[in-house]
Amino acid sequence: MISIPSVGEAEKLIEEKLGGWFDVVISHIPNFIVAVVIAIVFSIIARFAGRLMKNLLRRSLDSKQIADLMASIFKVIVLCVGLFIALDFMGLKGTVTSLLAGAGIVGLAIGFAFQDMTENLIAGIAMGIRKPFKAGDVIETDDVFGSVHSINLRNTLIESFYGQLILVPNKVLFRNVLKNYTTLGVRRIEVPVGISYGDDIEKAKEVIVDKINEFDFVIRKDETAVYAEGFGDSSINLLVWFWIKYPGEPDFMTVRHKGVVAVKQALDAADISIPFPIRTLDFGIKGGEKLDAMISDKISQQSANKEGDNNADASQGE
């Protein structure tokens, strides 16, 4: 049978338990005070370290949002380190281990649930550190060409040259090949043109280079060049190269327009023709026959056939 303790024995048991707990609490008060002090000290350190990190990142990064986010992450890391040290100092190593395991599981679950958002966020942070472009730069990537309007944590806003605002995910800019037309501050203009086979290529090159170099917006005038690109259907194809400051004034489209006009004027002044497309039609089953010769042969054949028919009719009438 189960023996039921008396009231006195129960009171004594409760008193012993409470006394043991009280002794444990009393013995842990110094550790608890030290843990609280550690937590307070780390919170103060995290506040000042986060503020210092924010100022440093804002100076080095173009996006204040990215700088603030990274500073906040750094601040939380410092706070967590202080919390884990305080718990470990109180002898709660199992609690620390459980918290770390739980944080890892929660982080993994969040990463899978918001994979696209997380990827864009990480790409935004990476680009904020690498700084492949900044606001105002002209960039081209993945069928997007325009000027960077603003850079956010998850996406970048680009203003195209057609007056449209395009929201591009940061992972697209981070993964694909990116062309930055602003970093070097210069850009080469290419103008293709064709001259007739009867004109002198070197003369065309000379007059075009002299005409292009008359413009004030042309830089590196010694690098202005004309190259023979190949043989076209009805012309010798040339490629005109010259350099301008970019971005700058006049703008790219205006400069290219003036370049095309200048090439046309230079060739006209030198009596060098830009031929129209020419097509040679080759007739006959095996080729090599001209149209006028085929028409003459056809007419002669028809005349011969008609004369033969007339002679046959005349013979039948007799």
Side-chain angles (χ1 to χ4, degrees):
M1 297 179 61
I2 299 175
S3 60
I4 301 175
S6 63
V7 175
E9 292 176 347
E11 289 179 352
K12 185 178 180 180
L13 182 61
I14 293 173
E15 184 179 353
E16 290 178 355
K17 288 292 183 180
L18 291 176
W21 291 345
F22 183 75
D23 293 338
V24 172
V25 170
I26 294 298
S27 64
H28 281 79
I29 284 179
N31 292 343
F32 178 76
I33 294 174
V34 174
V36 171
V37 172
I38 291 175
I40 295 174
V41 170
F42 268 89
S43 65
I44 296 174
I45 294 174
R47 181 181 301 176
F48 284 99
R51 189 177 302 171
L52 178 62
M53 181 64 68
K54 181 186 294 185
N55 294 333
L56 292 175
L57 291 175
R58 282 190 173 185
R59 293 176 184 175
S60 59
L61 301 179
D62 297 324
S63 175
K64 291 184 178 180
Q65 291 180 325
I66 296 177
D68 294 345
L69 175 65
M70 295 182 67
S72 299
I73 293 175
F74 180 75
K75 181 179 178 180
V76 171
I77 291 175
V78 175
L79 285 173
C80 290
V81 170
L83 177 61
F84 292 150
I85 292 176
L87 291 174
D88 185 64
F89 198 85
M90 292 177 63
L92 301 176
K93 294 183 179 180
T95 304
V96 174
T97 305
S98 300
L99 288 175
L100 290 174
I105 295 173
V106 171
L108 187 62
I110 292 175
F112 277 110
F114 300 96
Q115 183 176 0
D116 189 68
M117 182 184 300
T118 305
E119 188 175 3
N120 285 322
L121 180 62
I122 295 174
I125 295 174
M127 289 194 302
I129 297 174
R130 290 173 50 195
K131 294 191 292 188
F133 56 84
K134 60 181 181 297
D137 285 0
V138 178
I139 64 173
E140 180 182 4
T141 181
D142 193 34
D143 298 331
V144 178
F145 188 29
S147 177
V148 178
H149 187 272
S150 61
I151 305 171
N152 302 315
L153 290 175
R154 294 182 54 240
N155 47 60
T156 299
L157 193 62
I158 298 177
E159 183 177 358
S160 72
F161 295 115
Y162 296 98
Q164 300 168 333
L165 290 177
I166 305 173
L167 199 64
V168 183
N170 286 333
K171 67 177 183 180
V172 174
L173 300 175
F174 188 73
R175 286 178 176 178
N176 297 327
V177 176
L178 178 69
K179 297 180 182 178
N180 192 326
Y181 293 91
T182 307
T183 302
L184 299 179
V186 296
R187 186 171 181 180
R188 187 179 67 196
I189 307 295
E190 298 182 356
V191 178
V193 65
I195 62 174
S196 68
Y197 278 90
D199 290 315
D200 187 358
I201 298 177
E202 293 299 326
K203 181 180 178 181
K205 173 182 177 180
E206 181 180 352
V207 297
I208 290 174
V209 169
D210 291 342
K211 186 66 175 179
I212 292 294
N213 283 340
E214 292 178 0
F215 292 115
D216 294 333
F217 55 75
V218 176
I219 62 174
R220 302 181 183 178
K221 296 183 184 293
D222 57 328
E223 297 183 19
T224 302
V226 177
Y227 298 100
E229 189 177 17
F231 298 96
D233 294 335
S234 56
S235 64
I236 298 291
N237 296 328
L238 306 179
L239 192 61
V240 183
W241 283 0
F242 60 95
W243 293 88
I244 63 170
K245 292 182 179 180
Y246 188 84
E249 293 295 335
D251 59 85
F252 174 80
M253 296 300 294
T254 302
V255 169
R256 191 169 65 176
H257 167 77
K258 290 185 176 181
V260 173
V261 173
V263 171
K264 177 69 165 57
Q265 291 175 347
L267 294 178
D268 288 344
D271 196 25
I272 298 175
S273 62
I274 302 176
F276 293 102
I278 299 173
R279 294 290 182 270
T280 301
L281 301 180
D282 197 6
F283 297 92
I285 298 176
K286 295 184 179 181
E289 296 187 26
K290 296 183 178 180
L291 180 60
D292 54 352
M294 290 188 64
I295 294 175
S296 299
D297 293 341
K298 190 68 174 178
I299 293 175
S300 300
Q301 185 177 2
Q302 290 178 350
S303 299
N305 293 336
K306 187 176 181 181
E307 184 177 354
D309 293 339
N310 292 334
N311 293 334
D313 293 339
S315 300
Q316 290 177 0
E318 293 177 355

